[in-house]
Amino acid sequence: MFDISPLLKISYWFDRRPPALEPAAQQVFFYVFAGLVALSVVISIIIKKKKEEDPWVAKGFQKVSSWCLTMGVAGLMIFFFSFEQVPILSMRIWFAGWAVWAVIWMIFIIMFFVKTIPAEKSRIKEKERLEKYLPGKK
């Protein structure tokens, strides 16, 4: 069973020389962070092909791609420092900070998809509806 009692101690998070990660945890962290970088590349390729269809959704997925790339590279750096057991840079608090940063940024991306895109699409439709009554260029 997984024991969470060390997670509740402040010394666990701020230990300057924490013990090495378990091999299974190392593999999980590495594959998750490397997967985020790979996902960023895949999303970027798809965006280039679909940009013509809906530029607002493409812009939203560009934000997701940027999130994946940044979180993947930052995670790989934190993982590297932890793997090499570099003092101060291998503290567990960096993983917690990474997670908080990732969640906050993802909230902003979700808000873009939920609020900004529908508002802009309705604004464009309203503008097109009103422009059909305006005289065109001669």
Side-chain angles (χ1 to χ4, degrees):
M1 195 70 171
F2 182 68
D3 183 24
I4 65 166
S5 62
L7 298 175
L8 302 175
K9 296 178 184 173
I10 205 136
S11 62
Y12 174 82
W13 295 103
F14 290 100
D15 186 6
R16 291 185 183 174
R17 291 186 181 267
L21 293 171
E22 296 290 326
Q26 287 179 355
Q27 287 182 342
V28 168
F29 279 124
F30 178 76
Y31 287 130
V32 166
F33 297 144
L36 284 172
V37 173
L39 184 62
S40 170
V41 172
V42 170
I43 291 172
S44 294
I45 291 170
I46 292 172
I47 288 171
K48 288 181 182 177
K49 294 179 180 179
K50 302 289 183 180
K51 202 172 212 174
E52 304 290 324
E53 294 175 17
D54 193 350
W56 283 103
V57 173
K59 186 175 181 180
F61 278 103
Q62 182 62 44
K63 290 177 183 285
V64 173
S65 176
S66 296
W67 180 85
C68 287
L69 182 63
T70 305
M71 292 294 108
V73 169
L76 284 171
M77 287 174 48
I78 294 169
F79 172 75
F80 172 77
F81 293 135
S82 178
F83 183 79
E84 292 295 327
Q85 296 181 341
V86 177
I88 298 179
L89 295 176
S90 64
M91 294 186 332
R92 302 286 192 239
I93 194 68
W94 295 115
F95 284 108
W98 178 91
V100 169
W101 180 26
V103 168
I104 290 171
W105 193 353
M106 187 52 71
I107 288 170
F108 281 106
I109 292 172
I110 291 169
M111 285 174 42
F112 181 80
F113 275 105
V114 172
K115 290 186 176 184
T116 306
I117 291 178
E120 286 297 321
K121 285 185 176 184
S122 66
R123 185 186 63 79
I124 290 170
K125 283 183 183 178
E126 182 66 19
K127 184 178 177 183
E128 288 174 353
R129 187 185 68 79
L130 294 175
E131 282 182 352
K132 71 180 180 183
Y133 298 111
L134 296 175
K137 292 182 180 180
K138 290 186 178 182

